[in-house]
């Protein structure tokens, strides 16, 4: 049953991630059909709107998941994404489209809901590996979504693409329905023989974990928005090659995850150090020939960072608080993504097109400084 359960959750998450991550790239084209008079800055606002809504709503959904069940919350996430995309596909004007994006972000959040549900079914090493594979499905969606949806937009599909994609989270909803429900947390105190404890409380070092997650996510995302002009400034004139260089860190995750999961030690600190170093080198380097190697090393740092953070996260997960733990964790990453997008625009205009890499290097180093105490697994969960 665990393997079937994990496979259903991962496939469902991939379908929803493919839906949510694949289409934002084509927002300019869709907006041009729906509201041709909309100002250019509205594209950026619409791009981050679902992310901001998820960041605001994730902690609340996590609290409700702990009270009423994480499986129910996962069903809500897939259904919410389906409803948001369906409304977007039938939007008669920009106002309804904006409402649809808000529904998508507020009632979606499949990543946090999937991880929280897995935390109620798996423990320790099994949970850590499952979290790595959830991130694997997200990376796979980030690569495959834009490519496959690009074929559909090239065939002339626009707003109706939302109606087609709405079927994918609906299929994910169907995949989750037969899975076993988890028991909501009990409000009573339990005893383990060594004294009283509250198993539904969050770990006392949660603020540090969230800070490291925020900085790690920020360091990755801040280099994304302006990577194409950065590559062009280095003399990489082929769009396909720039796209490959952009995707290389995600490809490293997809290829090397089985190796990383076999490592006994938590390699979070080396991962953050490698991420900091490679981003700094990408800022200082003006040699396009080095970019391929630096992107591979950056992907290795990203992989080790994810695997290390997931190990820390699984060590702190407890029945009764999984929803809140993963809700706050996902919210931290979403806020980081939104802040990184704004920061990338500001520093690129004022300090040069390569400056986001310097920012990423400094932020990753700050995460390295903060992360060391997380490698000591907490012996008890306290308020």
């Amino acid at each position: 049953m665990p393997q079937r359960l994990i496979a259903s959750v991962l496939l469902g998450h991939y379908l929803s991630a493919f839906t949510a991550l694949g289409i934002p790239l084509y927002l300019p084209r869709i907006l041009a059909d729906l509201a041709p008079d909309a100002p250019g800055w509205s594209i950026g606002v619409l791009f981050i709107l679902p992310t901001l809504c998820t960041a605001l709503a994730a902690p609340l959904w996590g609290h409700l998941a702990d009270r009423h069940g994480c499986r129910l919350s996962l069903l809500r996430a897939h259904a919410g994404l389906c409803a948001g995309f369906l409304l977007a596909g039938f939007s008669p004007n920009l106002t309804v489209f904006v409402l649809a994006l808000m529904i998508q972000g507020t009632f979606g959040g499949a990543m946090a809901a999937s991880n929280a549900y897995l935390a109620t079914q798996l423990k320790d090493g099994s949970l850590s590996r499952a979290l790595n594979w959830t991130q694997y499905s997200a990376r796979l969606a980030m690569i495959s979504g834009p490519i496959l949806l690009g074929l559909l937009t090239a065939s002339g599909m626009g707003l109706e693409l939302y109606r087609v994609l709405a079927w994918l989270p609906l299929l994910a909803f169907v995949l989750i329905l037969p899975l076993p429900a988890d028991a909501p947390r009990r409000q009573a105190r339990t005893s383990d023989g060594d004294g009283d404890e509250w198993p539904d409380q969050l770990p006392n070092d949660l603020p540090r974990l969230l800070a490291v997650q925020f900085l790690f996510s920020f360091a990755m995302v801040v280099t994304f928005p302006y990577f194409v002009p950065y590559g062009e400034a280095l003399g990489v004139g082929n769009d396909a090659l720039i796209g490959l260089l952009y995707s290389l860190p995600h490809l490293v995750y997809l290829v090397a995850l089985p190796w990383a999961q076999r490592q006994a030690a938590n390699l979070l600190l080396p991962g953050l150090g490698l991420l900091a170093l490679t981003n700094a080198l990408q800022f200082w380097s003006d040699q396009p020939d080095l970019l391929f190697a630096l992107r591979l090393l950056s992907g290795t740092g990203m992989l080790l960072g994810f695997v290390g953070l997931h190990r820390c996260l699984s060590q702190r997960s407890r029945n009764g608080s999984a929803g809140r733990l993963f809700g706050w964790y996902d919210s931290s990453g979403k806020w980081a993504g939104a802040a990184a997008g704004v920061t990338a625009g500001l520093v690129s205009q004022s300090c040069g097109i390569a400056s986001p890499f310097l920012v990423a290097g400094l932020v990753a180093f700050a995460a390295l400084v903060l992360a060391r105490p997380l490698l000591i697994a907490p012996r008890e969960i306290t308020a």
Side-chain angles (χ1 to χ4, degrees):
M1 182 61 183
Q3 294 302 318
R4 175 174 167 268
L5 181 145
I6 294 172
S8 296
V9 173
L10 291 179
L11 178 56
H13 177 258
Y14 172 77
L15 292 172
S16 281
F18 181 97
T19 304
L21 298 177
I23 203 168
L25 184 64
Y26 303 102
L27 268 176
R29 191 167 300 172
I30 293 169
L31 193 60
D33 294 336
L34 181 65
D37 297 330
W41 55 262
S42 62
I43 295 173
V45 173
L46 295 180
F47 190 91
I48 67 171
L49 181 59
T51 301
L52 290 176
C53 290
T54 302
L56 288 168
L60 174 61
W61 288 125
H63 178 76
L64 293 175
D66 287 336
R67 283 190 171 275
H68 304 290
C70 290
R71 174 180 165 273
L72 182 62
S73 184
L74 180 53
L75 290 171
R76 177 268 313 159
H78 292 314
L81 187 60
C82 176
F85 266 67
L86 201 59
L87 180 60
F90 288 101
S91 296
N93 52 53
L94 183 58
T95 301
V96 177
F97 186 74
V98 169
L99 176 61
L101 293 183
M102 294 177 65
I103 291 174
Q104 172 193 329
T106 303
F107 293 91
M111 170 70 86
S114 296
N115 287 339
Y117 177 66
L118 288 171
T120 66
Q121 306 296 315
L122 306 170
K123 297 300 176 188
D124 300 329
S126 297
L127 174 59
S128 178
R129 289 188 292 272
L131 298 181
N132 293 334
W133 285 109
T134 308
Q135 193 61 236
Y136 186 100
S137 68
R139 302 291 127 189
L140 185 60
M142 288 183 68
I143 294 175
S144 60
I147 295 173
L148 296 177
L149 295 184
L151 296 176
L152 295 178
T153 57
S155 67
M157 293 187 69
L159 192 64
E160 65 270 24
L161 190 57
Y162 278 91
R163 299 198 293 266
V164 175
L165 290 175
W167 287 96
L168 298 184
L170 180 60
L171 177 57
F173 182 93
V174 173
L175 285 171
I176 302 303
L177 269 179
L179 299 183
D182 56 293
R185 79 167 187 258
R186 295 171 180 170
Q187 301 299 323
R189 180 179 296 189
T190 61
S191 174
D192 62 359
D194 296 325
D196 291 336
E197 67 168 341
W198 290 94
D200 63 344
Q201 294 301 304
L202 293 166
N204 56 1
D205 60 352
L206 180 61
R208 182 181 294 273
L209 178 66
L210 296 181
V212 174
Q213 153 74 344
F214 181 94
L215 294 172
F216 175 62
S217 299
F218 186 102
M220 289 189 298
V221 176
V222 74
T223 63
F224 288 175
Y226 295 93
F227 187 84
V228 171
Y230 166 77
E232 292 173 343
L234 286 182
V236 183
N238 188 298
D239 285 351
L241 181 56
I242 292 178
L244 174 62
L245 291 169
Y246 173 86
S247 301
L248 270 181
H250 306 299
L251 291 174
V252 170
Y253 191 100
L254 298 181
V255 172
L257 177 60
W259 165 81
Q261 293 202 125
R262 290 195 296 267
Q263 307 309 305
N266 189 327
L267 300 178
L268 174 61
L269 298 185
L272 292 172
L274 190 57
L275 191 64
L277 176 63
T278 54
N279 275 297
L281 290 175
Q282 285 177 87
F283 169 74
W284 291 110
S285 175
D286 58 0
Q287 302 296 320
D289 295 338
L290 294 178
L291 193 53
F292 188 89
L294 291 176
R295 296 298 287 172
L296 287 176
L297 291 174
S298 182
T300 304
M302 182 186 77
L303 168 65
L304 298 181
F306 269 125
V307 173
L309 272 176
H310 291 160
R311 189 169 296 183
C312 294
L313 193 58
S314 66
Q315 290 168 343
R316 288 157 177 80
S317 177
R318 297 292 186 273
N319 283 338
S321 63
R324 284 169 293 159
L325 176 62
F326 287 98
W328 280 110
Y329 187 83
D330 188 52
S331 178
S332 175
K334 294 295 190 295
W335 281 116
V342 174
T343 302
L346 294 175
V347 299
S348 295
Q349 292 180 18
S350 59
C351 304
I353 205 66
S355 56
F357 288 96
L358 179 60
V359 173
L362 294 173
V363 170
F365 181 76
L368 171 64
V369 173
L370 277 177
R372 186 174 182 83
L374 294 177
L375 302 187
I376 304 173
R379 295 184 178 181
E380 63 180 26
I381 304 297
T382 59

